[in-house]
Every structure is written in C-alpha cells, then in structure tokens.
Amino acid sequence: MHRGKGMKFVGDSRVQDKEQRNTIPKDYSEYPGRTEAFWPNYLLKEWLVGAVFLIGFLCYVAATPVSLEQQADPNNAAYIPLPDWYFLFLYELLKFEFAAAEYIIIGTVGIPGLAFGALLLAPFLDTKPGRRPSQRPIATGMMLIGVLATIWLTYESVVAVDWDTREEYSVDNMVEHEVDETHPGYEVYSQNCMSCHGGSLEGEPGLGPDLLDLPHTADTIAEISVEGIGDMPAGMFEGTDEELEHLANFIVENTDTDDGEGEDEDTEE
C-alpha cells in the first residue's frame, strides 16, 4: 500500500492546534450578563452583604442581651451546666439510653463520627455531574438528614430547660457580700454550711437560701443548725458546742440586719 493511499486522517478536538493554544482569553466584557470583574464589582457586593448581616446581628444582640451565669460550683448538685447553643444537639443526644452511661463512647465518638464521615464521603459516593439537588440524591439526602437531626435535637434540648430557674444563676442576681473569714466561726461554717448556703452566705439556688437577712438570734440559729427547719433536715451540723456557738455568732455578725442580733420569728431559714 502506498503511503497515504486508503488512509484517512481524523482530527482530534481534544488537542488544540498551535494557533488556538496561543489565543488570549476574551475579556469578561465579551459575555454581558454572564460574568463580572472580581474587583471591585463582586468583592464590594460580598462586603455589603456581610456588613448588613453583621449590623443586624449586633442590633439583635444589643436588643436581647444574655447575662452570664455564675461560676460553676461542684458542690451544687442541683446546677446542670449547659453547653453553648451550637453544641446543644450533641448535649441532647447524650440523654438517650443508647448514647449515655455504658454506651457513652457511642454518643460521643461513634454517632458524631459516622455523621461527619458520611458528609465527607458524600461527594465521593455521588459523583454525578449535575449540580441541582434533584440530580444529587445521595449528597442531598445526607445533608438533609444531618440538618434536620441537628435542628430537632437542638429544639428538644431548648424546650427541656427551665429558663426561669436558670435565671437565678445569672451574675446579675449575685449578691455582693463580704464575710469576715478571720472569724472563728468561718471555718465551722465552711465545713457544715457552705455547700448549701454559699461561700458568702449568698445561698445556692436549688440547695439552700441566703443567710443575709435572717430574723433570728444566735440561740435560734444554733437550734436550727442542730434540729433543722423547713426543707433543712436535722443533724446537718457536726461539731462541738463551742463550734456551734462560733457558727451562730458568725452568721449573726455577718448578716445585713441593722442591729446584728436579729429577732426571733417563726420564719423558715
């Protein structure tokens, strides 16, 4: 067969010719309505949207201030700390039986690891070229399940909280009061009463009331310490008669009453 005889040459569109490879790309203005310059057009639009969102968020925060809670006290078993709002869904997850107690590793590592791992693998499991959600069923389904589960768990965590009770733990409700720590009764107080009535007689929400405005005398306080009153059971005080006297005098001398002695009334502690 002679050279070229009976042979056909077919051009390959994937290989650009030399002239086409050296062609300078067209300016964005050649495509009106389809593209725009990054600077300043596109960037200024992004900055404007971001500024509007930031100003709106700052106005919302200023209009609805949220006070901080008091420092966590390990002696207060009635206080249940809450995580930040973006972790509430994980906090709610740990309330389920299969994700708590002996299954805690499932709730803290297993389920979150599977969820985030599935989202990372979604682009590799669904490799279709389409960009519409209906054309990417696997990736879209995983994302919807993750978003809906997060919203539902967060909602369940929020509605289960008694926010009126938690307001008692706000720093705005803290009682500023200084006690005489050199008083001989302070050590007795710290060993017997501090866990329920606070380090400065300010009380602990859910455990014990404050002792700053007691209408009792030292003798009455000593009697209450031994026999109890109201929700306070008997036998809470452990110590000698001398320590009991120091304790009662310490409480009376550090209250906010004018005379420092108090009055005998049938008022619960």
Side-chain angles (χ1 to χ4, degrees):
M1 179 180 294
H2 296 286
R3 181 179 181 183
K5 187 176 181 180
M7 299 178 63
K8 294 182 179 180
F9 294 92
V10 180
D12 192 343
S13 61
R14 295 173 298 177
V15 181
Q16 300 179 350
D17 57 21
K18 183 176 181 181
E19 181 179 354
Q20 188 177 3
R21 288 197 300 268
N22 295 332
T23 302
I24 299 177
K26 294 182 180 181
D27 188 76
Y28 73 93
S29 59
E30 296 289 335
Y31 306 92
R34 299 180 58 186
T35 184
E36 61 179 334
F38 178 76
W39 170 264
N41 302 33
Y42 181 80
L43 196 56
L44 286 179
K45 289 181 180 179
E46 294 294 312
W47 283 350
L48 180 60
V49 173
V52 171
F53 174 80
L54 180 60
I55 293 174
F57 180 75
L58 292 177
C59 291
Y60 173 76
V61 172
T64 58
V66 178
S67 60
L68 295 176
E69 293 185 356
Q70 302 176 18
Q71 185 175 0
D73 184 2
N75 295 320
N76 186 357
Y79 174 75
I80 301 178
L82 285 178
D84 292 319
W85 64 268
Y86 42 82
F87 283 134
L88 283 177
F89 72 100
L90 289 176
Y91 172 77
E92 183 67 20
L93 178 64
L94 297 179
K95 295 181 182 179
F96 291 93
E97 182 179 358
F98 59 83
E102 62 268 21
Y103 305 109
I104 190 67
I105 192 67
I106 298 178
T108 56
V109 179
I111 296 178
L114 289 176
F116 287 105
L119 292 178
L120 291 175
L121 291 176
F124 302 98
L125 298 176
D126 195 344
T127 58
K128 296 180 180 179
R131 300 181 62 183
R132 296 181 179 179
S134 59
Q135 297 174 334
R136 306 291 298 275
I138 298 179
T140 303
M142 289 183 174
M143 180 58 69
L144 287 177
I145 293 175
V147 171
L148 293 177
T150 300
I151 294 176
W152 178 72
L153 289 173
T154 302
Y155 172 78
E156 289 293 324
S157 179
V158 170
V159 298
V161 177
D162 186 353
W163 296 104
D164 293 334
T165 301
R166 295 194 68 84
E167 187 66 22
E168 299 178 3
Y169 296 95
S170 171
V171 294
D172 298 332
N173 296 328
M174 291 182 63
V175 180
E176 297 293 338
H177 182 74
E178 294 184 1
V179 298
D180 182 10
E181 297 184 2
T182 62
H183 193 285
Y186 177 78
E187 183 177 357
V188 183
Y189 172 83
S190 63
Q191 296 174 353
N192 291 271
C193 313
M194 185 177 293
S195 60
C196 293
H197 297 287
S200 301
L201 309 179
E202 76 279 10
E204 293 288 355
L207 292 180
D210 69 84
L211 305 179
L212 300 177
D213 301 306
L214 291 181
H216 304 304
T217 62
D219 293 337
T220 304
I221 292 177
E223 181 181 350
I224 293 174
S225 300
V226 176
E227 299 180 0
I229 187 174
D231 295 332
M232 176 181 173
M236 296 298 294
F237 174 78
E238 296 180 356
T240 64
D241 293 340
E242 182 181 2
E243 291 175 337
L244 180 60
E245 181 181 357
H246 289 326
L247 172 63
N249 291 331
F250 167 76
I251 295 176
V252 169
E253 294 175 12
N254 285 274
T255 58
D256 291 336
T257 55
D258 295 334
D259 55 7
E261 293 295 333
E263 300 176 0
D264 277 328
E265 294 182 7
D266 294 333
T267 305
E268 292 184 359
E269 180 180 353

